[in-house]
C-alpha cells in the first residue's frame, strides 16, 4: 500500500488576503486541520507537492500523514476548493483521524469485466455508471482505497445496487445504513440497437397501411 505524507507549515497570517499572498508569492496552498480533541490548526502546503499527491486517486480515500512543525497528524482530505477555470487547489480541509474511532470517507468504485459482461457481450447492451464513488464508515485501519464492482454476470436490463457490492471486512456503506439502496450501474440496450428497432417498427407499420 502506498504511503502518503506531506510536510506542512503552521500558518499564523490568516484571512483571504493572506491566503492570496501565500498562493501568489510562495506557491503555497492554505489549509486547515480540524477534528479530534484538538483545536483547528491553520497550515500551508507546498503547492507542487500537494498537486503531485493528488494525481494519485488513492490519496482521496487514504489516511495521509501531515508533518506539521515536527509533529505528525493523521488526516483525511475532506474538502478541496479549486480555481473555477484553472483547476488548481485554492484551499484544503483535512480532518484528523483517531485510531480506534470510526471515520467516514468517500471511496472510488472500480468497475471490473465491463467488456465481457453478459449483458454487453451477449446482449449487445451498454453500461451506465450511476455512481463513481460511495461514502463508507469504518475504522482507519479498514479504510479501502477503492471498492470493486464486478459486472461479469450482469445481464441486459439488470441494475446493480449498493446491496449487491462485496465490501471489505469492517466496512459499511453510509447510504445503506440510512436505508437508501442506491443504483450503482446498469446495462441497457444500446442507442444504435434502439434506433434500428424503432426504424424497423416504423417500416412495418408503413407496410401494413
Amino acid at each position: 500500500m502506498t504511503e502518503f505524507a506531506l510536510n506542512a507549515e503552521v500558518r499564523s497570517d490568516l484571512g483571504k488576503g493572506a491566503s492570496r499572498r501565500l498562493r501568489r508569492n510562495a506557491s503555497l496552498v492554505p489549509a486547515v486541520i480540524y477534528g479530534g480533541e484538538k483545536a483547528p490548526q491553520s497550515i500551508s502546503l507546498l503547492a507542487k507537492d500537494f498537486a503531485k499527491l493528488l494525481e494519485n486517486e488513492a490519496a482521496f480515500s487514504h489516511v495521509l500523514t501531515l508533518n506539521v512543525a515536527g509533529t505528525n497528524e493523521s488526516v483525511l482530505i475532506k474538502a478541496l476548493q479549486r480555481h473555477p477555470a484553472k483547476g488548481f487547489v485554492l484551499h484544503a480541509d483535512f480532518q484528523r483521524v483517531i485510531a480506534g474511532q470510526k471515520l467516514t470517507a468517500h471511496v472510488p468504485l472500480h468497475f471490473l469485466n465491463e467488456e465481457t459482461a453478459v449483458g454487453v457481450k451477449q446482449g449487445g447492451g451498454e453500461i451506465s455508471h450511476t455512481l463513481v464513488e460511495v461514502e463508507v464508515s469504518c475504522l482507519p485501519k479498514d479504510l479501502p482505497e477503492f471498492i470493486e464492482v464486478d459486472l461479469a454476470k450482469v445481464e441486459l436490463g439488470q441494475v446493480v445496487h449498493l446491496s449487491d457490492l462485496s465490501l471489505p471486512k469492517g466496512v459499511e456503506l453510509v447510504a445503506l445504513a440510512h436505508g437508501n439502496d442506491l443504483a450503482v450501474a446498469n446495462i441497457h440496450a444500446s442507442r444504435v440497437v434502439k434506433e434500428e428497432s424503432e426504424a424497423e417498427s416504423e417500416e412495418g407499420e408503413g407496410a401494413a397501411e
Side-chain angles (χ1 to χ4, degrees), residues 148-164:
E148 294 182 343
V149 184
D150 190 352
L151 300 175
K153 296 180 180 179
V154 180
E155 299 178 357
L156 188 65
Q158 188 176 346
V159 179
V160 178
H161 291 88
L162 291 178
S163 57
D164 298 317

Side-chain angles (χ1 to χ4, degrees), residues 81-103:
Q81 180 188 347
R82 293 183 181 272
H83 189 283
K86 299 179 181 178
F88 59 79
V89 177
L90 296 171
H91 188 277
D93 287 0
F94 297 98
Q95 184 176 0
R96 291 187 181 96
V97 171
I98 312 299
Q101 274 186 26
K102 279 193 172 185
L103 55 81

Side-chain angles (χ1 to χ4, degrees), residues 100-123:
Q101 274 186 26
K102 279 193 172 185
L103 55 81
T104 59
H106 286 88
V107 174
L109 297 174
H110 284 190
F111 294 89
L112 307 179
N113 300 312
E114 291 187 302
E115 293 181 1
T116 56
V118 173
V120 173
K121 198 163 186 180
Q122 296 180 17

Side-chain angles (χ1 to χ4, degrees), residues 14 18 27 38 41 43 48 60 77 86 102 106 119 123 132 136 139 142 150 168 174 176 191:
L14 307 178
S27 297
K38 298 181 185 178
Q41 185 174 32
I43 62 169
K48 65 174 184 177
F60 293 90
I77 298 173
K86 299 179 181 178
K102 279 193 172 185
H106 286 88
V132 294
V136 303
L139 292 172
D142 296 326
D150 190 352
V174 174
L176 270 186
R191 188 173 298 171

